Amino acid sequence: MKKFNTIYRHIVEEERKFPEATGQLSDLLADIALACKMISLEVNRAGLIDILGMTGDTNIQGEEVKKLDVYANELLTNMMKQGGHICAICSEEEENFIPIEDKYTDNKYVTNKYICHFDPLDGSSNIDVNVSIGTIFSVYKRVSDHGPGEMMDCLQKGDAQVAAGYAIYGSSTVLVYTSGRGVHAFTLDPTAGEFLLSNENIKIPKKSKIYSVNEGNYNKWSNGMKNYIAHLKEPDEDSGRPFSSRYIGSLVADFHRNLLYGGIFLYPADSKNQSGKLRLMYEANPLSMIVEQAGGRSSDGSKRILEIEPTALHQRTPLFIGSEDDVILLEKYLSEDK
Ligand code: AHM
Ligand code: MG
């Protein structure tokens, strides 16, 4: 029989492997899991209640904000604030980070030692048409000493993440996380209201047969990018080409499929968006930690995403992520273009 475990028990068991751990990271991850459960409920009800449509606001990326985005953002923010483990929250929906006081100032030690970044509802343009969407999160340890978090706490390299994950609201709700010891997936059992372990220690296939890219941008791509995609389409039985094309347009959903089946997801820089579209802190870093923990690779075309020194909260980056051999070959094509 498969090992039966809930997400909370799994998180605690993982943290116990570190004798110096205080249990705070477990509590924090449990809060995030609870928020994802509540967002999942709301996403499932979206077609039933009058929640769809625009709020009329635009977020700082200049995009329309839908009601579910607002709900997910507020829920996660409040959950993080109340938990007491966080000194700063950074959300894709907020222009600035939210600094948070140490809730237990009487204590001799600092309790708000973590920073959480999240994209509350990624792929939100898909809400109205029942396509999978998701929540992405990542956790860092503070670098400042005490008090509310500062910008230097929020702008750390992806390599400094202590945990990362996402929830995908699809045919079922699945939460995938890593705290630096492998990647584990949990499926929400709606009757029990619990995330149950469904896939432990996920490993992404080293080489794949799937590519995910918005090919409508073809004319804006570099030659290296065009040549790589042309190569994937060329028939060659020995190396498993042509590849299949799969693009949902919801990063979490495209990433999740590629993580399980193998694949390469590409969002390059192009002549219009010279830094690409996706956000380093909210999307690229957490998924890169996960893919590396699963044995895959993630790069901006020439260097590891996790090594990029961030300079702004909403900084964008080209992203090539997935099966190791496929990303290595892509990097080769891009370098030959220079
Ligand atoms: P969002 O965070 O505003 O939802 O935007 C990010 C989304 C990703 O989920 C997805 O991979 C990408 O945008 C799709 O972009 P495009 O429509 O340009 O292909
Ligand atoms: Mg997003």
Side-chain angles (χ1 to χ4, degrees):
M1 203 177 102
K2 230 178 165 181
K3 189 174 153 196
F4 178 83
N5 211 349
T6 65
I7 193 165
Y8 187 66
R9 213 191 306 154
H10 194 275
I11 289 169
V12 170
E13 281 168 6
E14 284 300 306
E15 197 168 13
R16 279 202 191 123
K17 290 175 185 158
F18 298 89
E20 70 286 0
T22 59
Q24 274 182 271
L25 183 59
S26 296
D27 285 351
L28 171 57
L29 292 174
D31 283 349
I32 295 173
L34 176 59
C36 291
K37 223 187 282 183
M38 292 167 76
I39 297 169
S40 169
L41 277 175
E42 215 56 30
V43 168
N44 290 341
R45 286 169 46 200
L48 298 171
I49 55 177
D50 186 25
I51 197 168
L52 294 178
M54 318 293 171
T55 60
D57 299 336
T58 52
N59 70 12
I60 58 130
Q61 321 283 350
E63 302 155 335
E64 286 166 323
V65 176
K66 302 202 168 191
K67 284 181 184 171
L68 267 176
D69 304 46
V70 176
Y71 172 81
N73 188 38
E74 286 176 358
L75 183 73
L76 274 159
T77 305
N78 292 338
M79 200 79 98
M80 294 297 97
K81 278 184 183 165
Q82 285 167 23
H85 308 301
I86 292 284
C87 67
I89 298 168
C90 308
S91 164
E92 199 200 274
E93 296 291 336
E94 308 278 352
E95 185 166 1
N96 297 314
F97 72 91
I98 305 171
I100 299 170
E101 290 285 349
D102 193 343
K103 208 173 156 193
Y104 306 104
T105 40
D106 290 348
N107 288 349
K108 289 194 192 74
Y109 57 93
V110 175
T111 54
N112 60 345
K113 63 180 183 190
Y114 293 106
I115 300 98
C116 188
H117 292 64
F118 48 78
D119 180 352
L121 215 50
D122 179 69
S124 47
S125 62
N126 288 317
I127 294 171
D128 293 355
V129 286
N130 251 345
V131 170
S132 299
I133 48 182
T135 297
I136 311 175
F137 62 89
S138 84
V139 181
Y140 296 80
K141 251 189 197 151
R142 67 183 303 158
V143 285
S144 61
D145 288 341
H146 56 82
E150 299 167 29
M151 193 53 117
M152 67 176 175
D153 296 309
C154 302
L155 288 184
Q156 299 185 52
K157 279 199 283 198
D159 261 336
Q161 289 171 108
V162 294
Y166 60 85
I168 174 168
Y169 312 111
S171 48
S172 56
T173 293
V174 174
L175 195 146
V176 174
Y177 92 97
T178 180
S179 53
R181 294 173 56 91
V183 178
H184 317 292
F186 299 79
T187 304
L188 182 63
D189 176 343
T191 47
E194 281 282 5
F195 279 111
L196 303 178
L197 181 64
S198 45
N199 210 340
E200 199 168 26
N201 239 324
I202 298 171
K203 292 289 169 209
I204 183 169
K206 196 163 179 301
K207 186 177 170 359
S208 84
K209 295 180 80 168
I210 292 176
Y211 73 99
S212 318
V213 70
N214 183 343
E215 231 162 333
N217 294 328
Y218 180 88
N219 283 323
K220 294 182 256 165
W221 291 346
S222 67
N223 288 333
M225 180 68 195
K226 285 178 180 165
N227 293 340
Y228 175 71
I229 298 296
H231 168 80
L232 298 185
K233 291 176 175 178
E234 241 168 48
D236 176 43
E237 242 174 68
D238 291 345
S239 61
R241 288 177 288 142
F243 274 37
S244 291
S245 160
R246 295 281 182 275
Y247 190 69
I248 297 169
S250 225
L251 178 60
V252 169
D254 279 311
F255 178 83
H256 188 65
R257 182 205 50 243
N258 291 355
L259 180 69
L260 298 179
Y261 292 170
I264 176 169
F265 174 94
L266 311 96
Y267 213 113
D270 60 38
S271 55
K272 188 166 156 239
N273 300 308
Q274 299 199 345
S275 307
K277 174 181 179 187
L278 300 171
R279 290 79 168 173
L280 175 65
M281 302 307 291
Y282 304 108
E283 292 160 331
N285 273 339
L287 298 187
S288 298
M289 181 182 185
I290 293 168
V291 91
E292 287 199 3
Q293 282 289 318
R297 189 176 176 101
S298 171
S299 108
D300 70 353
S302 58
K303 75 192 277 201
R304 277 174 75 230
I305 290 286
L306 297 178
E307 284 172 18
I308 298 175
E309 197 73 64
T311 53
L313 283 176
H314 292 276
Q315 166 173 350
R316 295 175 193 259
T317 178
L319 178 64
F320 306 98
I321 188 166
S323 294
E324 187 182 18
D325 288 0
D326 302 339
V327 178
I328 290 175
L329 186 63
L330 172 275
E331 287 168 334
K332 189 166 168 280
Y333 270 84
L334 292 189
S335 71
E336 282 165 3
D337 189 31
K338 280 174 192 155

